[in-house]
Structures are given as C-alpha cells and as structure tokens.
Amino acid sequence: MEITPEIIESHGLKPDEYQKIVQLLGREPNITELGIFSVMWSEHCSYKSSKVHLKRLPTRGDRVVQGPGENAGIIDIGDGWAVAFKIESHNHPSFIEPYQGAATGVGGILRDIFTMGARPIAAMNSLRFGPLDAARNRSIMIGVVKGIGDYGNSFGVATVGGEVYFADCYSLNPLVNAFALGIVREDQIFFGKAAGVGNPVIYVGAKTGRDGIHGATMASAEFDEEAGKKRPTVQVGDPFYEKLLLESCLEAMRTGAVVGIQDMGAAGLTCSTCEMGARAGTGIEMDLSLVPQREQGMTPYEIMLSESQERMLLVARKGREREIIDIFKKWDLDAVVIGRVTDDGLLRVLNQGQVVAEIPNAYLTDEAPVYNRPMKAPERATEAVEIISPGDYYVNPEPDPSAVIVSVEEGGELADSSSESATAAARACYNQALLRMLTSPNICSKEWVYQQYDYQVRTNTVVLPGADAAVIRIKETRKALAMTLDGNGRYCHLNPREGAKLIVAEACRNLVCVGALPIAATNCLNFASPERPEVMWSFSEVIDGMAEACRYFQTPITGGNVSFYNETEGRGVYPTPVIGMVGLIEDVHQVITCGFKEEDEVVVLLGETYEDMGGTEYLERICGRIAGNVPRLDLERERAVQRACLEAIQSGIISSAHDCSDGGLAVTLAESCFSSYGRRAIGAEINLAGAIPALAQLFSESPSRIVLSLREENVEKLQEIAASHNAPCTIIGRAGGSQLRISVGGEELIRKSVAELELAWRSALSQALQTKPQVSAEQITT
C-alpha cells in the first residue's frame, strides 16, 4: 500500500514526524510499520508533550521501590511488604461508549497492578461529568458508573471510594480516572523486561480481535461531531476472564519460571513487545500467525494494533515454557509461544515466516518526538471578590465596577440596602444557603454511585466509601492502608500552580483524618490540547505546584498518566490534575472516621478560617460565578495542622476528624452530624467568633482546617499537642441534640434539623438523575 499524506494524517502523525520515521529507517515504512510508529509516537504512549515537564516531579524517596517507568509504582511499607498502585485515564473511550469505556479502564488498571506481582485489593475512581440537567450527561454518568461497578464487582476487587464532580466544561469531555492498589511481598515483585537472549515469549489470556484498534491514537486527539463513529476503537472487557488471568499469572509467577511480564494495554501487542525489549536492551522476534485470534482474516496491522482486553505477554526461562503453558491451560486460558528474545534490539514481526515489520525498539521509544511546546498564560480579566454579610448594608462611596458582590440572595444579588427588613431577610437566607450547598452535585452524598460497587469483597475494608479516605487492612499484620483521590479543576482553572498545591495538601489532609501518614502519590493529569499555548502553560504550572507540595510533604510521585486532548469542537476541560495518595497506618485499631460519635463531645477546629471565597463552591453555586483568587495555602501551617491531628489520633484521644474543604465549615459541620455507618445522627451547637464576616466563617474554603470531636477530659491533651506543633486549636462548640445550630459573633444564623439537612444531602444526586431516592426521612431519624 502506498503511504499517502492522507494515510499519514489518518494515523495522527505530522508530516515532519513521518519524515523522521523515514530518516530513522532509511526507507519508507510499510503500512504495518506505519501503524506501529503511529501508536508508539502518539501522545498517549510517548508523552511527547509532557515529558520535559514531568521530569520536574519528585519521584524518589526512602520508601520508593519502583518509580515511574513501569506498569505501576511500588512503595515499601515495612515487614517485607510492598504496595503497588497507579491511576490511569479512560476518558475518550468513556465518552464514545460509557459502559465499556469505563469498564475496560478498570480492567486495564487492575492488570497494571498484578503485572507487578501484586494482588489487587482496592480500586477507586475519579469521575467528572457535565451538569445533570442534560439528558446526555445523565446517560454518560449512568453508563460509566454501571461499567465500573459491573467490572470491579465481577472481578472481585473492593471499590472503596473516589470522587465525582460536575461542571459544564465536562459535558462533552467526561473524565474517568481509575485507580487500583495491590499488595506484594518485596521479594516477589516482577518487572516488564524481556531479559535473557533465547528465552521464549509467551502470549497468554484472551484471543485477539479487532476491538480497540488505534485506541491509543484516538486517545491522542480531540473530538468533533464525528466522535460517535469511533466506537470500534473502544475495547470490550470480560471481568470473569480477567479474574482467571489474575490467578493464573500470580500462580505462574510463583514458579520462578517467569522472567518478565507486561500487560497488553494501550497499543496492545505493539507496546508490550517493544517496551519490554527496550527496558532490557534486547529485541523480540515473533510470528503473528501463532497469535490466538477470535476473528478470521486479521491482517498483521490489525493484530499488532488491536487493544483487545485481558491479554498479557510473558518472557519465560528457556526450557520451562511447558510449565507456564500448563498453568494457563488449567485456568482455560490461551498460552502460546509466539516468539523469542533476541540480542539485536529489534522488534521483528513475522507472519507465516515472512517479515512484515522490522524496527529497532529504540526508534519506537527513545527516538519518539519530544516537544517543548510554546506556553502562554491565558488572558483573564481580574475580578475582585468582595464579601459582605447578607444582613449588613453595603456602603462603598467609590464602588469598583469589576467587583463581584457576594450574598446569599437568590442568584447572588445584593440585598436591598434601602429596605428596613433587609437585615432580617438576609439572616433568614443562611439556612436556605446551607441547604443549597448540601444539595450541590459537587457536595451532596455520592451514595447513588458507590452503592453500585461491592466495597467489602475480600473483607479487607475498614472505612467505607463516603469518608475522607478509604482504609484497607493488610491481613496477617496490624497494618492498614489509607487511600484518597482528590482534584479541583475550578481551582486550577483560576490558578493552576496554587490549585495543584491545594489538591496535594487536601489529599494529605484526608489521609491524616483517618489516622494515616501520607507516604506516596500517583497522578492523572487531564488537560485539553497541548497544541494550545494556554493549555501547556497551565500544565507546566500544575507540575510546578504539585512538585513543590509533594516535596514539602515528602510524598513522591511513583507514576501516573497524562491525558491530553480532552476537548470537543475546540472546547476543553479545566486543567484537572487528580492526585491519588496512599497513607500508612501502623495499627489498624487507631483508625477513626468522620461524624460525631457521642452526645456532649467537644467540637474543635484545628486551623483558622480566612476570607477565602474566591473559586469556592459557594461562589459558583449561590452566585453563579467562577472568579477570584483561590484560597491561600501556607505549607508550614498545613503541615502543623496535619501533624497535630495525626499525633492526637495516635494518642487515642480523638473520636472523629473531618477535613474542611469544599463548601467550607458549615458544610463540614453538617456532614459531621449525619448518620454515617448506621449510627444515630447527632446535632451540634457551634459558636464561631465574629472576627471575619459571617459568610466567610461559614462558607470560606480556607485550607489547613480539620474539625475534631473528643471527650471533655481529652481537650487539654489536644491543646498541648496542637501547641507543640504550633497549630491553631479552637473550641467551637459541642455535639448533641437533633439540630445543627451555628452562631457567628453571638448571633444565631443557622438552625436546622439534622434529619432535614441529611435527607436533602442524601437524596440530591438520585433526584438529579431522576432515579428513586435511596433513603427516607424516617430511616434517618430512626
């Protein structure tokens, strides 16, 4: 077949990239070779636009066993145990075919974990959709959640938590980020290397079909109105087959006959062969006629680029291939020797004994284009965010026309200062404002989502979904692992560097709130087209903010994923970095949860509240604005609060801890009253100082704050611990009763039944999705 400019363009290659291929090979590539180059040089596989920036991330630490570059990162947690974890995106496939796109995203990340020799024990997901008043967005969300649940439940992994957010920019660009974690003995870790010249290369797992061809290329381009025609590039998964693949792979690994192993994920057989060879400095020769196929007449091009699921590539010790094959046959899986390791560094592809492609591995990996793309800060009008209390009159003899005036009146309009009843009317709005915040899709309960997941399979789950972080016990030890996913696209839209720092800080804080020491992180970086200078500027800023915060909190990045081209018809998503953070708990008995536990407990705020209303949920939800400066993060103050909280939890004096973030202190206090884990709901009476406007006291999103509850006799000990870390510690009230009452500066502004607040919070998402509510008022009160 003649390679025309149209064919080159259809493969996602630029003219200069094609010329580089010709220069490297010293000849024109054939169509199979062109396909191989196109997927390996795609943004999804080569990281060609992000590589120069990713190098600035901290990737080393005392606990890091394996950093970026392998299928998953690995950290040491002591006593001979290690943890493998990673996060990946499956955004584009989930837009085209929500159910299979999300399901195969789960399957892919699980294979990344057990490829390292680890048994997956937990999964999480970070999801973003457009507003639910649009039928298409509801359809995408329902399909994605069902795909995640069906695959994870059938496979048998606990899906223990995550996050779900909504914004208009995700309407045609849903983000589906899948996280998985597994445990492994340190002396049983495996790597994706094709070592040992002459060793057999064995294909195992499901047969190869035509699904997923050019999936990596599709994930490296923006969408247009023709996106629906790309359905053939979405893979089809089988979780039951993957369960068999897991057990057979782990059994084969225990024999000592496996030298290297690699998941056939993005770019399928192409990526697994050339990457295994490149890591070991060897080559691989294989014959495609030996590859198990489920469809007739497949060409070498199709076999090499297929992304059919549930497949692995193994390199075994020479002479022990029958031992490996017999194990997979026992599990009713295909296992066929399709090639051998060579010493020439080439990816040599045969079909019926004839060479159909021959490319040095280094050309596909090391020689892939690397771009330092132009960067430019976006031009945004600076909008000041001025906060007034809804009951106060606003007087400004020289009003700033660019100021955004914030109040709790409907639509965010300023209360009429000429009315004598303005103050009383504004006070009455606080209760309604809290209700509206609790029913915000970004804040309300995500029970509708996680009730579709099996989060207790294998009986390791200690803290259930809905808490600040999930907790999984490690059986046969006293240890437990905490994990959380955090992201905030709105913050990063307004200030990508500071937004990224805030995300890292919140992830650490969420782990601390369950009693875990943050030890390492992974990331999934979701952005629009890297060919736009504004996007690359945001990406670079996010990297620098993330790097600064991760170094400060000593949480190295062990790997992750970059997903560019999340845009449709020229409209992209917010810069949306998602942090997956893992924490270690030495004694599982020290785990605590959010939610007040007993009547008359003292409620304490670690940290301080400032007038941080820019970029907040309140500003968007109540006032319809996304503007202002994001909340200020003081890294030293953040660390002081975290250390004080962790020491207090480990000393056994704390009953509950809850991170104060989205929605501010009023939302955090309301959530602390709710009847999580089947216990009785407990109200609270809170008295806040009037040092700053009441609106900021209630809804500011100042970081470095944690709400604690504890018995009276333990307060002095907590104050001593907080003082030793120089962490602000303020008694703000007591738990008890059936109402949430909040006063600011001596004036009661919120007084609501906890049952009413909780019912609104629990039922908001199911109502938005037009499904049956999951809970009734009677269930809450009883």
Side-chain angles (χ1 to χ4, degrees), residues 410-425:
E410 280 291 320
E413 297 176 358
L414 180 64
D416 182 3
S417 59
S418 64
S419 169
E420 295 181 359
S421 62
T423 300

Side-chain angles (χ1 to χ4, degrees), residues 42-256:
S42 68
E43 192 72 59
H44 189 77
C45 291
S46 72
Y47 293 81
K48 57 189 176 185
S49 298
S50 57
K51 191 175 293 185
V52 295
H53 301 286
L54 295 174
K55 292 178 180 178
R56 303 200 296 272
L57 290 172
T59 58
R60 297 180 180 180
D62 293 341
R63 293 183 180 272
V64 176
V65 177
Q66 175 63 54
E70 267 288 346
N71 292 285
I74 297 182
I75 53 173
D76 177 12
I77 59 170
D79 299 329
W81 288 100
V83 174
F85 64 100
K86 192 183 181 184
I87 188 170
E88 284 270 7
S89 65
H90 233 223
N91 303 335
H92 287 63
S94 298
F95 171 60
I96 297 171
E97 215 304 309
Y99 180 88
Q100 289 294 349
T104 52
V106 174
I109 198 66
L110 291 172
R111 289 195 301 280
D112 283 339
I113 299 305
F114 68 79
T115 295
M116 304 300 295
R119 177 176 291 277
I121 61 171
M124 304 179 79
N125 51 78
S126 173
L127 310 176
R128 280 166 175 77
F129 306 102
L132 293 177
D133 54 1
R136 185 173 188 178
N137 292 333
R138 294 196 299 272
S139 177
I140 290 174
M141 179 177 177
I142 290 169
V144 163
V145 171
K146 184 168 176 55
I148 292 170
D150 284 359
Y151 202 102
N153 296 352
S154 300
F155 176 85
V157 65
T159 303
V160 293
E163 59 171 12
V164 187
Y165 282 92
F166 302 87
D168 191 54
C169 66
Y170 304 117
S171 285
L172 297 176
N173 305 286
L175 302 184
V176 178
N177 296 174
F179 169 97
L181 175 146
I183 57 172
V184 60
R185 299 295 298 179
E186 279 199 83
D187 58 356
Q188 297 174 9
I189 297 170
F190 283 79
F191 301 99
K193 295 181 179 180
V197 174
N199 278 338
V201 176
I202 306 176
Y203 173 114
V204 301
K207 290 180 170 60
T208 295
R210 289 189 171 94
D211 53 321
I213 293 174
H214 267 301
T217 306
M218 177 268 291
S220 304
E222 65 271 21
F223 283 158
D224 54 26
E225 67 277 2
E226 301 294 315
K229 296 181 180 179
K230 297 183 179 181
R231 284 183 183 273
T233 62
V234 178
Q235 311 94 322
V236 178
D238 184 337
F240 300 103
Y241 219 92
E242 177 127 332
K243 173 63 173 175
L244 299 178
L245 187 61
L246 161 71
E247 299 299 343
S248 55
C249 283
L250 293 182
E251 182 177 341
M253 291 171 178
R254 289 194 295 268
T255 67

Side-chain angles (χ1 to χ4, degrees), residues 684-725:
E685 184 169 349
I686 305 297
N687 296 283
L688 304 175
I692 62 175
L695 196 64
Q697 284 278 22
L698 296 174
F699 300 115
S700 165
E701 292 181 7
S702 298
S704 315
R705 293 182 298 164
I706 298 173
V707 171
L708 305 175
S709 68
L710 68 167
R711 293 181 177 179
E712 178 85 47
E713 62 265 27
N714 293 323
V715 170
E716 185 177 350
K717 176 64 174 177
L718 172 62
Q719 292 171 328
E720 291 174 358
I721 291 173
S724 71
H725 292 284

Side-chain angles (χ1 to χ4, degrees), residues 373-434:
R373 294 190 184 275
M375 296 187 293
K376 179 184 177 182
E379 296 180 3
R380 294 197 189 100
T382 302
E383 293 181 301
V385 178
E386 186 167 352
I387 310 302
I388 66 166
S389 178
D392 294 340
Y393 298 123
Y394 179 67
V395 180
N396 187 352
E398 297 180 2
D400 180 359
S402 67
V404 177
I405 309 303
V406 182
S407 82
V408 297
E409 295 291 320
E410 280 291 320
E413 297 176 358
L414 180 64
D416 182 3
S417 59
S418 64
S419 169
E420 295 181 359
S421 62
T423 300
R427 285 175 183 164
C429 288
Y430 277 111
N431 284 312
Q432 184 62 29
L434 178 57

